[in-house]
Amino acid sequence: MPIADFTSSAIIDQLTHVLSALSAEDRKKEINKVRLIAQRNYVTKAVYAFEVTNAGGKKHYFVVDLKQAGKVTDGATEAEAAQGQPKPDISIAISDDTFIKISEGKTTAAGEFMSGKVKIKGNMMLGMKLEPILKRFKSLAETLPPPSPAAAAVIASSSETPTQEIVVKGYNGSLVIAQILRAFGSDDAKREAILKKTNAIFQIDLNGPEGIKSWVLNLKPGATASDLVMPGTAAQNKKTAGATLILSDADFVDLASGKLTGQSAFMGGKLKSKGNIMLALKLESVLKAIKGPVAKL
């Protein structure tokens, strides 16, 4: 999802879309692929860290893993962007405008480095491979359909509001739901591990300023980034929920932050359930796995 005031975020979105759309096997093949560029073999097997500065002097950070899991993370700080990622092999400080020009082939990383517009720390030669890598992923993106609303939320910045289909204004619990998608959507191994433990489909009904809003969490083995989280009811998404959890938006946020437990919420009448109430305990383990500061709309 485009990040406000950063035109080059579209490049990162493109990388994320391709990596999310590829199967685990194809992603592994892609990040290990050896290609012949300018009569020189190279392997796109590296972790790139970007510090992008826009025209107003604001910075945003991205880490692109083309070495192990094949995923993209971002954040308002370098530490936030690097969370859960391998150590970068190269760090590139670049302006928003220059990043766009390099991606469009209007200039080169080498030329901009020599002029001082691009600063590189780490493996210098990896910086010279930036253009062919971007070109490669651009061509892959052109062969894929656009991301679905759910998959698009994976692209969303952790410091920005994800797609409106997932996030609903006035419902802070929807940010928790989007956080689940960000945490597990682009990491196949991490997602499958939590899915095997949970093995359930949930419908979450949150009572907020506009009444009940619903989301489906498809936490069954085999779920992909595109159907892990879905706005609407289970019936609308042609799914069968093992449990429907009904609670206020505020209580769901408290449940996610650890201020409230599923058992105490149920016993205190704050949580109502249709289906297997014991599944609520499994959902708690998912929420604990993404536990962190809960943002507010």
Side-chain angles (χ1 to χ4, degrees), residues 22-33 68-69:
L22 293 174
S23 67
E25 182 178 354
D26 287 342
R27 191 181 307 129
K28 185 176 180 180
K29 289 179 181 178
E30 187 60 39
I31 64 177
N32 286 287
K33 185 170 288 185
Q68 296 180 19

Side-chain angles (χ1 to χ4, degrees), residues 249-273:
D249 179 63
D251 287 337
F252 184 67
V253 171
D254 285 345
L255 187 65
S257 65
K259 293 180 181 178
L260 185 67
T261 67
Q263 184 177 2
S264 63
F266 181 72
M267 296 299 291
K270 293 183 176 182
L271 169 64
K272 296 180 181 179
S273 175

Side-chain angles (χ1 to χ4, degrees), residues 1-241:
M1 180 179 182
I3 298 171
D5 303 323
F6 285 86
T7 307
S8 62
S9 66
I11 301 168
I12 305 298
D13 285 359
Q14 192 173 70
L15 286 166
T16 308
H17 177 39
V18 172
L19 291 171
S20 298
L22 293 174
S23 67
E25 182 178 354
D26 287 342
R27 191 181 307 129
K28 185 176 180 180
K29 289 179 181 178
E30 187 60 39
I31 64 177
N32 286 287
K33 185 170 288 185
V34 177
R35 305 188 67 227
L36 189 64
I37 300 293
Q39 298 182 344
R40 184 178 300 172
N41 284 317
Y42 81 87
V43 182
T44 60
K45 195 174 182 181
V47 179
Y48 286 76
F50 295 94
E51 177 192 275
V52 184
T53 305
N54 68 10
K58 182 180 178 182
K59 296 181 184 294
H60 201 80
Y61 299 82
F62 304 90
V63 177
V64 181
D65 174 15
L66 298 177
K67 189 175 188 177
Q68 296 180 19
K71 67 176 182 178
V72 180
T73 54
D74 79 302
T77 66
E78 185 175 2
E80 185 178 316
Q83 189 172 8
Q85 287 277 46
K87 182 180 178 181
D89 297 289
I90 179 173
S91 296
I92 301 175
I94 190 170
S95 72
D96 189 48
D97 181 59
T98 301
F99 203 175
I100 288 292
K101 288 180 179 179
I102 291 175
S103 72
E104 292 177 345
K106 295 179 179 179
T107 187
T108 65
E112 297 302 325
F113 174 74
M114 295 299 292
S115 67
K117 292 183 179 179
V118 172
K119 296 181 180 179
I120 296 175
K121 293 181 182 179
N123 189 330
M124 188 72 66
M125 292 307 297
L126 291 174
M128 305 305 106
K129 298 167 185 174
L130 185 58
E131 298 101 293
I133 289 175
L134 294 177
K135 184 177 180 180
R136 168 65 180 168
F137 277 87
K138 182 178 181 180
S139 66
L140 286 172
E142 290 171 351
T143 69
L144 298 171
S148 66
V154 178
I155 297 172
S157 158
S158 58
S159 62
E160 297 289 323
T161 301
T163 54
Q164 190 63 35
E165 287 82 359
I166 299 295
V167 173
V168 178
K169 186 177 181 180
Y171 290 75
N172 292 316
S174 66
L175 290 173
V176 176
I177 292 170
Q179 191 176 348
I180 292 173
L181 183 56
R182 278 198 296 272
F184 304 115
S186 61
D187 190 326
D188 291 342
K190 187 177 180 181
R191 180 174 65 251
E192 197 59 26
I194 199 74
L195 295 182
K196 285 180 180 178
K197 290 181 180 179
T198 311
N199 191 24
I201 296 176
F202 298 89
Q203 178 175 313
I204 309 297
D205 290 351
L206 300 184
N207 194 355
E210 297 181 13
I212 296 289
K213 297 287 185 182
S214 302
W215 292 262
V216 173
L217 302 181
N218 179 15
L219 304 180
K220 277 186 166 290
T224 65
S226 62
D227 67 353
L228 185 72
V229 173
M230 295 166 280
T233 66
Q236 289 171 335
N237 287 285
K238 298 181 180 179
K239 299 288 184 183
T240 301

